[in-house]
């Protein structure tokens, strides 16, 4: 009798447990996440523990390609980071830091040729476990070594990249540097008045779409903010921040941070979005073709309203820390996210 009683009370509690766990699973799944993979945090921690990079010419203080500050920051952060190893046998990836006198495709080709003759690493994968920084490399691409570099190695470019210079799922892009307002502004404390539907600033404010929006009182289009306080205020009080893909995307990470959902106006596909293999961009930003003009832009904004809008805004704010560049890299910042993407690409397949 006691047994019976016990087992009959076990059944409902099992059912309750089952019910609870199903409920928890559903609740977990329903919680919106900015990440494409549910393993993001696990993978990221694994990267911190195990990722090792070998640098050719570690002493190279004057790389050929330091024309943009963001590349320089990435390079310096990498050289100071705990991810470097002097033992190539334990390296997952090899960093090609080109000397300052190595800029043309011919010089690069010769540089790689020397390295493949002297060391065994390039030949093992034909460069697939190598990466390099390049935001604007031009010249004839007929040299074999250069072709292998382009086809196999991970190229880290600056977003937005030059058309056709980016190979999706192999290459990466560095998000732009942040406007100089991060330390002093706390978006949480700002009141959200929501006066503006869309805010744009940039040197491209003369484009046709922006010109048409200029007369619309729901939008504010300016060539530059009067000061950074004012800028933070405008980001906080606008529902959408407009960007032109071919133009200035400088503030996109900051827009996320201040809860201003980016609306990106583009004339072509955007394979080079920063962290596109990690973040759910389509859940955090609105993309609209430039061809449809203001009408299409407005209907895209109309579709991104209500709960959908609030969700985009929340996911963007969650992801915003990944767009922050720091002089001294911090967990989950832009530097670590680029490394994380490199870590994901360590098994890429070579082209022969
Ligand atoms: C770095 O290289 C540039 C040429 O690309 C040269 O003008 C400059 O003097 C070099 N700087 C140092 C510190 O060697
Ligand atoms: C670049 O300079 C180094 C010495 O600083 C030299 O050994 C190398 O051959 C040069 N490379 C090119 C392509 O001129
Ligand atoms: C790598 O391969 C090239 C030919 O593809 C060869 O000339 C070179 O000696 C090889 N390097 C090593 C270190 O074996
Ligand atoms: C890229 O390089 C080419 C040729 O050197 C130059 O004409 C072009 O303006 C550069 N583009 C950027 C974005 O720096």
């Amino acid at each position: 009798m006691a047994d019976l009683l016990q087992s009959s009370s076990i059944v409902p509690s099992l059912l309750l447990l089952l019910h609870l766990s199903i409920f928890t699973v559903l609740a977990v799944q329903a919680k919106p996440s900015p990440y494409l993979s549910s393993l993001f945090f696990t993978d990221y921690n694994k990267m911190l523990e195990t990722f090792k990079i070998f640098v050719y010419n570690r002493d190279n203080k004057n790389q050929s390609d330091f024309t943009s500050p963001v590349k320089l920051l990435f390079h310096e952060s990498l050289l100071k980071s705990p991810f470097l190893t002097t033992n190539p046998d334990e390296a997952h990836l090899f960093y090609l830091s080109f000397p300052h006198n190595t800029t043309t495709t011919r010089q690069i080709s010769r540089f790689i040729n020397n390295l493949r003759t002297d060391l065994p690493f390039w030949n093992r994968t034909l460069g697939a476990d190598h990466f390099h920084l390049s935001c604007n490399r031009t010249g004839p691409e007929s040299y074999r070594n250069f072709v292998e570099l382009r086809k196999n190695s991970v190229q880290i470019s600056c977003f937005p990249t030059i058309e056709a210079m980016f190979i999706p799922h192999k290459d990466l892009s560095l998000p732009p540097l942040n406007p100089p307002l991060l330390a002093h502004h706390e978006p949480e404390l700002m009141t959200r008045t929501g006066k503006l539907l869309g805010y744009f600033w940039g040197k491209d404010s003369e484009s046709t779409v922006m010109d048409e929006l200029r007369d619309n009182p729901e939008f504010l289009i300016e060539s530059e903010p009067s000061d950074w306080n004012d800028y933070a205020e405008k980001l906080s009080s606008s529902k959408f921040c407009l960007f032109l893909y071919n133009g200035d995307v400088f503030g996109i990470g900051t827009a996320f941070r201040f809860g201003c959902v980016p609306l990106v106006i583009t004339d072509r596909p955007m394979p080079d979005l920063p962290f596109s293999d990690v973040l759910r961009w389509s859940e955090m930003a609105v993309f609209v073709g430039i061809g449809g003009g203001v009408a299409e832009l407005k209907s895209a904004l109309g579709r991104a309203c209500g709960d959908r809008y609030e969700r985009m805004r929340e996911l963007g704010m969650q992801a915003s820390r990944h767009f922050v560049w720091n002089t001294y890299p911090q967990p989950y910042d832009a530097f670590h996210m680029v490394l994380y993407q490199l870590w994901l690409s360590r098994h890429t397949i070579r082209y022969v």
Side-chain angles (χ1 to χ4, degrees), residues 205-217:
S205 62
E206 302 301 319
S207 86
T208 327
V209 176
M210 296 307 161
D211 246 7
E212 276 184 60
L213 289 176
R214 201 183 304 275
D215 301 329
N216 188 320

Side-chain angles (χ1 to χ4, degrees), residues 273-291:
L273 281 169
F275 317 132
S276 62
D277 292 337
V278 180
L279 296 176
R280 284 181 208 277
W281 270 96
S282 60
E283 308 282 312
M284 297 168 9
V286 179
F287 298 91
V288 60
I290 200 163

Side-chain angles (χ1 to χ4, degrees), residues 83-274:
F83 299 101
L84 299 195
T85 177
T86 50
N87 175 8
D89 294 328
E90 67 168 13
H92 299 96
L93 292 182
F94 295 78
Y95 175 38
L96 294 160
S97 162
F98 298 116
H100 72 273
N101 60 359
T102 309
T103 48
T104 65
T105 52
R106 185 196 173 95
Q107 287 164 339
I108 289 168
S109 185
R110 200 180 292 150
F111 179 85
I112 292 169
N113 194 53
N114 290 342
L115 175 147
R116 81 187 297 161
T117 323
D118 297 344
L119 297 164
F121 315 119
W122 185 273
N123 279 357
R124 286 194 312 209
T125 62
L126 297 182
D129 54 3
H130 287 53
F131 69 93
H132 63 285
L133 289 169
S134 168
C135 293
N136 188 13
R137 185 102 60 213
T138 50
E141 306 210 346
S142 51
Y143 304 100
R144 175 193 161 181
N145 290 299
F146 189 80
V147 170
E148 283 180 12
L149 178 81
R150 282 290 294 129
K151 301 268 185 190
N152 288 340
S153 299
V154 178
Q155 173 174 288
I156 304 182
S157 302
C158 306
F159 177 74
T161 60
I162 295 159
E163 197 170 3
M165 288 293 282
F166 189 91
I167 304 179
H169 307 300
K170 174 178 84 63
D171 294 344
L172 309 178
S173 69
L174 302 174
L177 286 179
N178 317 112
L181 79 171
L182 290 170
H184 320 291
H185 295 87
E186 278 307 320
E188 292 77 17
L189 302 178
M190 311 209 73
T191 50
R192 191 171 181 78
T193 48
K195 279 193 201 117
L196 285 173
L197 178 60
Y199 172 54
F200 175 88
W201 80 269
K203 54 179 183 289
D204 322 287
S205 62
E206 302 301 319
S207 86
T208 327
V209 176
M210 296 307 161
D211 246 7
E212 276 184 60
L213 289 176
R214 201 183 304 275
D215 301 329
N216 188 320
E218 285 187 306
F219 290 84
L220 177 64
I221 311 295
E222 54 185 4
S223 53
E224 58 184 309
S226 44
D227 66 54
W228 294 117
N229 264 317
D230 175 59
Y231 176 59
E233 201 68 59
K234 280 168 184 160
L235 293 187
S236 301
S237 61
S238 305
K239 283 186 80 175
F240 295 94
C241 285
L242 278 44
F243 295 94
L244 286 171
Y245 175 44
N246 265 339
D248 208 334
V249 290
F250 177 54
I252 200 159
T254 315
F256 279 134
R257 183 161 174 267
F258 282 82
C260 189
V261 172
L263 178 126
V264 186
I265 302 164
T266 176
D267 58 350
R268 58 188 159 104
M270 305 177 59
D272 59 336
L273 281 169

Side-chain angles (χ1 to χ4, degrees), residues 30 32 280 283 306-316:
R280 284 181 208 277
E283 308 282 312
D307 286 350
R308 178 162 156 71
Y309 174 82
E310 287 309 323
R311 194 179 127 101
M312 292 182 112
R313 184 165 174 262
E314 188 190 317
L315 294 188

Side-chain angles (χ1 to χ4, degrees), residues 45-61:
N45 286 326
K46 209 165 155 199
M47 168 197 75
L48 291 184
E49 285 162 22
T50 54
F51 196 17
K52 289 291 170 226
I53 295 167
F54 179 84
V55 186
Y56 295 104
N57 316 314
R58 198 164 167 163
D59 300 329
N60 180 18
K61 296 278 187 296

